[in-house]
Amino acid sequence: MALPSPAEQLRAAASCPVCLELFRDPVSLRCGHNFCRGCVERCGPGPGAAAGPLCCPQCRDAAPGGGSSSLRPSRELGHIAGIARELLPALLPAPPPGAPGDGSVCGRHREPLRLFCREERALLCAECARERRERHREQHREQDREQHRGQALGTARDRARGEGQHLVREFRELRRSLEEQQRLLLAQLGDLEAAIGRGRDQAVEKVSEELSQLDTLIWEMEGKFQQPPGRFLQVGDPGREKGGMNKIQNSPLIPEGLGKKIPEFHRIWGKNILKFHRIWGKIPRIVTLDPLTAHPRLVLSPDSLSARWAYGGPEPEPGPERFSCSPCALGLPGFTGGRHTWTVALAEGPFCAAGVSRASVRRHGPACAPADGVWALQRWGGLCRALTEPAPTPLPGRCPRHLRVALDYDGGRVAFFDGDDGPGQARPLFAFPTAEFGGEEVRPWFWLELGEISIVQ
């Protein structure tokens, strides 16, 4: 902050503290303060008031005696004020327009300076005081408006915060409701998918069973067509012939027209087949046991249609094709294509098995799994199990008395059916995945220990 100039210091020293103008007829009080005579008299008791002590307008010290008699003229200070009044106009800049003049009249409103402002420590006219009061009121009103706006803004902020919290609560509640509905719909969808899956599985199981029965019937018919004519038409066994014809004729899978022609076909060709039998003799059945491959403990029937486990007895001739480790035997003939079926009767032996194997299956070591070239089903007590790898697969239900073996060489399939059922009604037991025959000859395979088996065509 800049220090006042000497001219300003001179003006302050030669000015009255009441009117802030250069002294006019200066007087001194007992306390030592100097004022204009008119300013002191105006600060004292008014006309008609009771006489009292004159108090100093600056320190409020009461002068003894009261009245103007206690005022002492200060001629030296008046002389200095006169000199300052002559010098200051040249030393001080001119006051701005509207500023109070050096006299006791307002320079803006040309009214007497009768009011003293404590804040500004200056004399004011009535109009300047009114303007200052208006400015103060406007300032207060502006502060009130600012405060009101602040309060309104705070209220709006609080209201917005409350509405935001309410919206957040509603959003959370809506989200929770949607999540609950989503879980409910997902559960219903899961139940629906499970029901559809069960229905699909049941339909697939039913269709698979029907296809298996149809496939079995086709395999049986193809196998019978591959049999010798005498065996196919059952010549020499009228009862069996009649039953066989009825089963074939009444099969739901045989067209009606073809079924009616089967008896006529049998009648026409029967005589020729009888001549064939008389000329060539009895034709052997399609599947038999091969005595050259049977284990020494297996005793075969003269017609090679059955075998049993036995201790002792004459030792068969040794040969490279004979099984020496496992109690097994191969069947005749071998197959290199087509579809073939045959039925094996499993006696009450605890360890009987039947299936197919490659012709080159190992003879002098254990071999009873697909990796060894064997695809078979085993009777294990009263149950059945498929000889799979790495471990056998137990099958549900009882083990049938008759086991029907089905071979589809070209399709690489080996399947087993319940042979106790009638033709076309065989219940599927187990089917191996695609078998790898490698173009090698495949032969019937039998495994027998402590039991008996027989081949039923």
Side-chain angles (χ1 to χ4, degrees), residues 4-338:
S5 63
E8 293 177 348
Q9 293 179 6
L10 175 61
R11 179 182 178 84
S15 298
C16 174
V18 176
C19 65
L20 300 179
E21 300 294 338
L22 295 177
F23 286 108
R24 295 180 182 277
D25 190 12
V27 292
S28 297
L29 299 181
R30 187 181 66 87
C31 59
H33 293 131
N34 301 309
F35 304 95
C36 297
R37 181 179 294 275
C39 293
V40 173
E41 290 178 351
R42 285 196 299 270
C43 294
L54 181 64
C55 295
C56 175
Q58 190 169 356
C59 65
R60 310 307 296 174
D61 184 20
S68 59
S69 59
S70 60
L71 300 178
R72 292 177 297 177
S74 179
R75 295 181 178 80
E76 293 82 4
L77 188 58
H79 181 66
I80 294 173
I83 295 173
R85 188 174 290 107
E86 295 177 358
L87 295 178
L88 287 178
L91 297 177
L92 293 176
D102 291 338
S104 59
V105 179
C106 177
R108 292 178 56 197
H109 304 103
R110 310 306 297 172
E111 294 183 1
L113 300 176
R114 297 177 179 177
L115 301 177
F116 178 74
C117 179
R118 294 181 180 179
E119 295 179 358
E120 298 182 3
R121 301 186 62 82
L123 291 174
L124 301 176
C125 68
E127 189 64 22
C128 290
R130 186 186 65 78
E131 291 178 355
R132 280 173 172 76
R133 286 196 297 271
E134 290 296 330
R135 285 197 298 270
H136 285 302
R137 291 194 188 97
E138 185 63 27
Q139 291 177 357
H140 288 303
R141 284 194 294 269
E142 185 65 24
Q143 292 176 358
D144 293 339
R145 285 193 293 268
E146 291 292 334
Q147 184 178 3
H148 179 70
R149 283 194 293 267
Q151 292 177 354
L153 182 60
T155 303
R157 188 184 296 111
D158 294 340
R159 186 183 299 108
R161 186 182 296 109
E163 291 179 355
Q165 293 176 354
H166 179 67
L167 290 176
V168 169
R169 288 194 297 270
E170 288 186 350
F171 176 76
R172 289 177 179 174
E173 185 65 22
L174 179 60
R175 180 177 179 180
R176 187 191 63 79
S177 177
L178 292 177
E179 290 177 350
E180 186 66 25
Q181 293 181 5
Q182 181 184 15
R183 287 193 294 269
L184 180 60
L185 291 177
L186 289 177
Q188 294 177 355
L189 181 60
D191 296 340
L192 181 59
E193 290 180 351
I196 294 175
R198 288 192 298 269
R200 182 180 63 249
D201 294 341
Q202 293 175 0
V204 170
E205 182 179 359
K206 184 177 180 180
V207 172
S208 299
E209 184 177 355
E210 293 177 355
L211 289 176
S212 299
Q213 294 177 0
L214 179 61
D215 207 11
T216 303
L217 180 59
I218 294 174
W219 286 10
E220 288 179 353
M221 295 179 64
E222 290 182 351
K224 289 184 179 296
F225 290 155
Q226 294 174 3
Q227 293 181 8
R231 189 63 187 169
F232 174 71
L233 295 176
Q234 300 292 328
V235 176
D237 192 353
R240 186 170 183 179
E241 174 187 352
K242 182 177 180 181
M245 290 300 105
N246 290 336
K247 289 179 179 179
I248 296 176
Q249 184 178 356
N250 298 327
S251 174
L253 302 177
I254 301 296
E256 183 178 357
L258 180 60
K260 293 180 179 180
K261 294 180 180 181
I262 289 178
E264 183 179 357
F265 173 80
H266 178 269
R267 181 180 59 79
I268 295 174
W269 290 97
K271 295 181 180 180
N272 295 332
I273 293 173
L274 289 175
K275 292 179 182 179
F276 182 83
H277 272 266
R278 286 195 297 270
I279 295 173
W280 296 101
K282 186 178 180 180
I283 299 176
R285 299 193 179 191
I286 186 171
V287 174
T288 60
L289 293 167
D290 184 3
L292 298 179
T293 62
H295 187 270
R297 293 292 184 186
L298 301 182
V299 179
L300 274 61
S301 63
D303 57 1
S304 298
L305 294 178
S306 63
R308 61 183 177 85
W309 174 273
Y311 291 98
E315 289 288 339
E317 296 181 3
E321 296 185 3
R322 190 177 301 281
F323 287 91
S324 61
C325 179
S326 302
C328 300
L330 297 181
L332 290 173
F335 308 106
T336 57

